[in-house]
Amino acid sequence: MNPDDMIGRLSGPLSLRSRIGNVVALLGGLGGALFIGLLWATEPVLPGRTHLAFGALVALGLAWAGYGTWALTRRTPLFALDRVIAAWLAVTATGLLTAGTVAIAVARGTWVSAAGILVAVTLGAVALVILVRARAARAALLRRKRELGG
Amino acid sequence: MTDELLVVRCQLGEREAFAELVGIWNDPVWTYVRRMIGSSQADDVAQEVWLAVVRGLPRLKEPGRFAPWLFTIARRTVANRLREEYGRHEVLAEEEQATADPADALVDRTELLAGLSELPVREREILVLFYLEDLSLEDCAEICAIPVGTVKSRLSRARRMLRDHLTEKGHRR
C-alpha cells in the first residue's frame, strides 16, 4: 500500500471536522443536560408527562456527553491547535451555561439555582485553565518548531 | 527535514506534515509488518499501526525518538495480531546472557529475506528491526523492551538459526 492510500484510510481520525464535532458533542451534551436539569429542578409544579420529557432530554444530553468523552479519550487525537479550539469552545459553552443559570436564579430565586451557578462557574474556571494550558503547550511546540528551523 | 521537526509539526496539527511523515515511514512499517505476519494481512495491520500512531502522536513526549516509538507500536500491533491468530501469548521479554556480536558471521541480505519467514517470531523480529530497518542496537532494545545484551544474543541466535535453515535448504555458498 502506498503512502497516499494509507493517508486516505486515515482520513477519518485526521479530519478536523470530526475531531471538533466530538468536542461539540461533549460540550453541547453536558451543557444542555445541566441547563435542562436545572430548569427541571427549579420548576415548582409539573405534570407527570413533563417530568418524563425533562428526564428524556437530560438523558439525551448525557448520552451525547458520554459519546463525546469516549470518542475524545479513545478514538480521536486532539493536536495542539485542536486543543486550543476545543478549550475556546469550552469557555464559550460554560459562559453561556453560566448566563443561563444566572437567568434561572434571577427568575426563580431558589437554592438549587444558586447551586447551578456555582457548578457553572466551576466548570468555567476549569475551561479557562484548560485554555491557558492548551495555549502554553501550543506555544512551546511553535518555539520548538522554530528552533528546528521549521 | 528531520523526523523531530515533522513530528512537532504533526503535534501542532499540520496535516501536510502528517502526510510527509507517512510518506517517509510507511514503507519501513509495511516491510516490518509484512516480514512478521505475511503479505495477506500486511495492509490491515499497517493501517492499525498508523491509526495508533495518529492517536498517540499528541502525547509523544520525545519527538526526536519517533522511530523507536513507531516500531514499538508496530511490534505491539503485530504481537496482538499474532496472538489472535495463534490463540497463544507470545512471551516477548526474556533475559539472556549477552554475547559478542560476530560481525563476520552476517548472512547477506538476500538470503536473510528468503529465510526470514521460516524463523520463530522473536528471532524474525530482531533480524527485521536490525537489518531491514537499520535500527541501532539501542533502538531495538527499546522497541523490544529488553536489554541491549539480550538484543545481541538474540541476533546471534537468529543469525545462527537462519544460517542453519539456509544450509538445510542448500543455499550455502
Side-chain angles (χ1 to χ4, degrees):
Chain A
M1 187 190 303
N2 65 45
D4 290 338
D5 292 337
M6 186 58 78
I7 289 286
R9 286 193 181 201
L10 299 172
S11 57
L14 286 175
S15 153
L16 179 66
R17 183 183 295 183
S18 132
R19 298 199 299 269
I20 297 303
N22 290 328
V23 174
V24 170
L26 167 61
L27 293 172
L30 187 63
L34 283 172
F35 186 71
I36 291 168
L38 193 60
L39 276 177
W40 187 13
T42 53
E43 277 292 340
V45 181
L46 286 173
R49 261 187 286 183
T50 313
H51 276 298
L52 273 180
F54 268 120
L57 286 172
V58 168
L60 190 65
L62 290 177
W64 275 110
Y67 168 76
T69 305
W70 170 79
L72 288 174
T73 52
R74 302 298 298 274
R75 300 197 62 83
T76 313
L78 280 186
F79 297 103
L81 180 62
D82 309 338
R83 286 175 190 273
V84 173
I85 294 172
W88 272 116
L89 287 173
V91 168
T92 307
T94 52
L96 288 172
L97 182 64
T98 304
T101 54
V102 167
I104 292 174
V106 168
R108 305 267 163 84
T110 62
W111 67 269
V112 176
S113 50
I117 292 175
L118 188 66
V119 170
V121 168
T122 305
L123 288 174
V126 170
L128 276 173
V129 170
I130 290 172
L131 176 61
V132 169
R133 291 183 59 179
R135 285 171 60 93
R138 182 163 183 265
L141 282 172
L142 284 170
R143 251 192 328 273
R144 186 68 187 136
K145 180 184 169 185
R146 279 194 298 274
E147 285 167 8
L148 293 167
Chain B
M1 186 180 296
T2 63
D3 281 346
E4 183 174 5
L5 178 53
L6 267 181
V7 171
V8 167
R9 287 178 56 207
C10 289
Q11 289 180 323
L12 280 164
E14 296 180 21
R15 184 168 174 159
E16 60 275 18
F18 194 80
E20 278 186 62
L21 196 69
V22 173
I24 292 170
W25 286 101
N26 187 56
D27 282 351
V29 167
W30 195 82
T31 301
Y32 170 77
V33 171
R34 184 166 62 97
R35 292 296 170 200
M36 294 305 296
I37 60 170
S39 300
S40 60
Q41 299 182 71
D43 284 350
D44 286 345
V45 175
Q47 183 184 351
E48 280 180 43
V49 172
W50 282 110
L51 272 174
V53 168
V54 171
R55 287 172 189 153
L57 209 49
R59 292 188 304 277
L60 176 59
K61 298 279 186 237
E62 295 181 78
R65 305 279 302 150
F66 175 73
W69 178 77
L70 170 66
F71 280 100
T72 302
I73 290 174
R75 178 176 185 267
R76 190 168 56 230
T77 310
V78 165
N80 287 343
R81 182 59 68 103
L82 288 173
R83 204 174 295 138
E84 286 169 16
E85 199 169 304
Y86 300 124
R88 64 180 170 83
H89 181 73
E90 287 290 338
V91 181
L92 292 170
E94 181 188 18
E95 297 294 328
E96 293 174 48
Q97 186 65 39
T99 60
D101 188 16
D104 60 350
L106 295 181
V107 289
D108 77 18
R109 190 182 174 91
T110 310
E111 287 177 331
L112 192 146
L113 289 174
L116 267 179
S117 60
E118 305 295 328
L119 296 186
V121 171
R122 206 162 35 192
E123 283 70 23
R124 197 187 329 155
E125 170 185 73
I126 205 71
L127 288 177
V128 170
L129 289 174
F130 189 74
Y131 291 112
L132 296 187
E133 304 296 353
D134 287 328
L135 293 169
S136 67
L137 287 172
E138 289 74 21
D139 285 350
C140 291
E142 182 178 334
I143 293 163
C144 298
I146 54 177
V148 172
T150 308
V151 173
K152 290 178 183 174
S153 61
R154 196 173 286 179
L155 271 171
S156 173
R157 187 173 64 243
R159 281 192 297 262
R160 191 172 58 244
M161 291 174 74
L162 184 60
R163 191 186 308 111
D164 291 347
H165 173 75
L166 294 177
T167 305
E168 276 176 29
K169 294 263 182 180
H171 288 157
R172 185 150 208 154
R173 287 175 294 185

